[in-house]
Amino acid sequence: QVQVVESGGGLVQAGGSLRLSCEASGRFFRIDLMGWYRQAPGKQRELVATITNGDSTNYADSVKGRFTISRDNAKNTAYLQMNSLKPEDTDVYYCNVNVKRSSGINRDYWGQGTQVTVSS
């Protein structure tokens, strides 16, 4: 079993910054892809940013230039640095990890989510 725990959400004023963390633990051979997604009530979950184990990154157009994803493989942890936050960034942010198990099969795991609220 793999556990994914996010932290770092909170309330911030527009223009401010927050840093989210996501730590994966449990039994797996390797973490391949780590990513952040967000979801507002009544809407579909959308991609924010992803990072491979080779540090290749991908961002949603809405966050390019403002958010930065990174990871520390030794700590099985991904980070999302969010700068120049806007009220429309208000959402629950979820971490996703895609792990390769000893069987060679990859599987996705999700965290419980962390609330980010940006006030105008």
Side-chain angles (χ1 to χ4, degrees), residues 47-114:
L47 179 146
V48 176
T50 61
I51 184 167
T52 69
N53 57 9
D55 288 337
S56 293
T57 58
N58 180 50
Y59 295 93
D61 288 342
S62 59
V63 306
K64 283 181 181 176
R66 300 188 298 121
F67 292 10
T68 302
I69 189 171
S70 60
R71 63 190 282 174
D72 183 334
N73 291 328
K75 295 181 180 180
N76 295 326
T77 299
Y79 306 96
L80 186 68
Q81 178 66 43
M82 305 186 293
N83 299 328
S84 302
L85 282 160
K86 304 175 181 180
E88 52 262 44
D89 294 318
T90 296
D91 269 326
V92 179
Y93 284 69
Y94 296 89
C95 179
N96 173 272
V97 296
N98 180 267
V99 305
K100 182 176 290 294
R101 306 174 76 172
S102 57
S103 63
I105 296 174
N106 280 66
R107 181 175 173 180
D108 282 318
Y109 294 89
W110 292 90
Q112 80 287 351
T114 185

Side-chain angles (χ1 to χ4, degrees), residues 2-18:
V2 176
Q3 294 78 43
V4 179
V5 178
E6 303 107 333
S7 61
L11 173 64
V12 65
Q13 288 188 330
S17 299
L18 283 174

Side-chain angles (χ1 to χ4, degrees), residues 23-42:
E23 181 177 4
S25 61
R27 299 185 66 178
F28 48 84
F29 176 68
R30 183 182 70 223
I31 298 176
D32 284 342
L33 189 69
M34 302 185 82
W36 289 96
Y37 294 74
R38 63 188 182 186
Q39 187 172 22

